[in-house]
Amino acid sequence: MSSHRVHSAQHTVPVAAPAGVVYGLLADAPRWPVLLPSFVHVERIDFDGAEENLRLWHLRHGQVCSALARRVPRPRERCVEFELQDVLLPGAPTSGTWSVEPDGADRCLLTLRHERPAGPGEMPETLERDVKTELVALREAAERWDRLDELLLSFEDSTYVSGSPELVYDFLYRIEDWAELVPHVERAEVTEDQPGVQATVLHTCAPETGETLVSEAVRLCFPAAGRIVHKETVTSDPLAAHYGEWYLEPDETGVRVVSAHHVMLRESAVEAVLGPGALLVDARRYVREWLGRSSAEALSLARWHAESAVRRLR
């Protein structure tokens, strides 16, 4: 650590939510991609009840960064100690603590202390800004605590393919070709500056209105595991956040292909999209049908892609 300059920052924000709710969000890291804008994907590697290890993918200044995280949750003290090891900067860990202090029955104070090695040309103000951004994002998620059951929506669609998992994965990976293959995709732009990390811009046709919607996303591709994780960085109303995954479950005769979605609704946009008087229950139905229809199109074409190749080989 002696060869690295270290920047430190600590800030506290008031949160209009019970301390237990806020600590629960801190402790449940795998849910962060749908709750916190900067997180793309979180995988829990192991947890022995006292310490957990995570693999994190998050956005930092527009770039996807990957880190290994060691966390020690302390529920009685309502704090979480952490150490992050950037996979590209071995020996230069970031460390810190999240802590929650009750401030009445339905309010609390949330504090984040952060210490990290300074990157080339990085000023202390950068860490100050990042700490404040993380605090605000968690506060905004926590202050919806009494509405989360209505705002959050998760579901899956699947199909069975009598064909090669490799061919199915190939179709899902080559999203730049979807404009020619998938009916609801009008245009697809893809860049892959890091192997397996795709930045996409999709122009799709909105259900019912036919309006063109533009979404931007990051996709993490794991070919050996048969998985592609995606997180939208620019969403279309009424989505406030959209995180999901394609994954394959091979067996002796083929493969089950699953499209999973996790959505946070933007309540303020519901009437603008669905009309005056529309409720969250209407938005949930609309999003389920919209994303389900899009998934079904892609799943059907993935099946055709794999099974038609098998027929050609016979």
Side-chain angles (χ1 to χ4, degrees):
M1 287 291 291
S2 59
S3 61
H4 297 277
R5 292 184 300 119
V6 175
H7 290 164
S8 301
Q10 178 171 314
H11 288 282
T12 300
V13 295
V15 183
V21 168
V22 177
Y23 178 80
L25 293 179
L26 288 172
D28 192 6
R31 293 182 72 193
W32 288 358
V34 76
L35 296 172
L36 305 177
S38 65
F39 283 88
V40 177
H41 183 50
V42 178
E43 288 193 3
R44 181 176 280 124
I45 300 170
D46 58 63
F47 182 40
D48 63 7
E51 181 177 304
E52 68 177 344
N53 291 291
L54 307 169
R55 182 74 183 271
L56 311 171
W57 287 263
H58 59 102
L59 292 168
R60 185 179 175 199
H61 312 312
Q63 299 296 313
V64 178
C65 302
S66 178
L68 296 172
R70 182 183 67 85
R71 303 205 317 162
V72 180
R74 303 188 186 281
R76 288 190 177 183
E77 295 86 359
R78 293 194 183 93
C79 71
V80 179
E81 299 170 4
F82 62 86
E83 182 177 278
L84 304 177
Q85 179 68 64
D86 191 317
V87 295
L88 300 178
L89 292 172
T94 292
S95 61
T97 305
W98 289 94
S99 57
V100 186
E101 180 184 350
D103 185 25
D106 295 320
R107 300 186 64 85
C108 63
L109 298 174
L110 174 64
T111 300
L112 173 58
R113 178 184 60 79
H114 232 301
E115 293 182 353
R116 79 177 179 214
E122 185 174 292
M123 302 299 291
E125 293 81 4
T126 303
L127 179 57
E128 295 277 342
R129 183 172 62 249
D130 290 349
V131 166
K132 291 177 182 177
T133 298
E134 287 190 52
L135 283 167
V136 168
L138 192 74
R139 179 177 66 188
E140 289 179 351
E143 289 184 344
R144 302 185 184 109
W145 68 277
D146 58 342
R147 305 282 280 161
L148 283 181
D149 286 347
E150 295 177 87
L151 293 171
L152 292 174
L153 173 65
S154 295
F155 58 90
E156 292 185 351
D157 294 292
S158 66
T159 191
Y160 189 82
V161 178
S162 299
S164 160
E166 290 78 14
L167 288 173
V168 173
Y169 188 89
D170 176 69
F171 175 85
L172 298 174
Y173 173 78
R174 291 188 297 103
I175 193 172
E176 67 271 16
D177 296 338
W178 284 16
E180 299 175 2
L181 300 171
V182 181
H184 73 273
V185 179
E186 298 175 349
R187 182 176 158 196
E189 305 164 20
V190 182
T191 57
E192 190 169 341
D193 295 331
Q194 304 175 52
V197 180
Q198 298 177 329
T200 68
V201 181
L202 290 185
H203 300 248
T204 60
C205 183
E208 301 173 2
T209 66
E211 175 189 1
T212 296
L213 304 177
V214 180
S215 63
E216 299 181 20
V218 171
R219 304 206 322 161
L220 305 177
C221 304
F222 306 99
R227 300 172 63 202
I228 298 176
V229 173
H230 53 89
K231 163 72 179 276
E232 288 195 16
T233 54
V234 175
T235 59
S236 301
D237 286 338
L239 305 183
H242 180 202
Y243 160 73
E245 179 179 0
W246 301 92
Y247 64 92
L248 311 184
E249 297 179 331
D251 60 22
E252 297 81 3
T253 60
V255 57
R256 178 173 176 257
V257 190
V258 181
S259 172
H261 296 273
H262 308 281
V263 169
M264 170 82 80
L265 297 173
R266 179 175 288 116
E267 189 168 8
S268 61
V270 169
E271 290 193 354
V273 174
L274 299 181
L279 304 174
L280 279 172
V281 66
D282 303 309
R284 291 171 66 87
R285 186 182 306 111
Y286 170 85
V287 168
R288 176 64 180 94
E289 293 175 355
W290 164 29
L291 295 181
R293 184 162 54 245
S294 298
S295 291
E297 286 183 353
L299 288 167
S300 176
L301 287 164
R303 184 176 65 242
W304 172 85
H305 178 74
E307 292 181 350
S308 62
V310 171
R311 287 193 294 271
R312 289 195 298 270
L313 291 173
R314 288 174 177 168

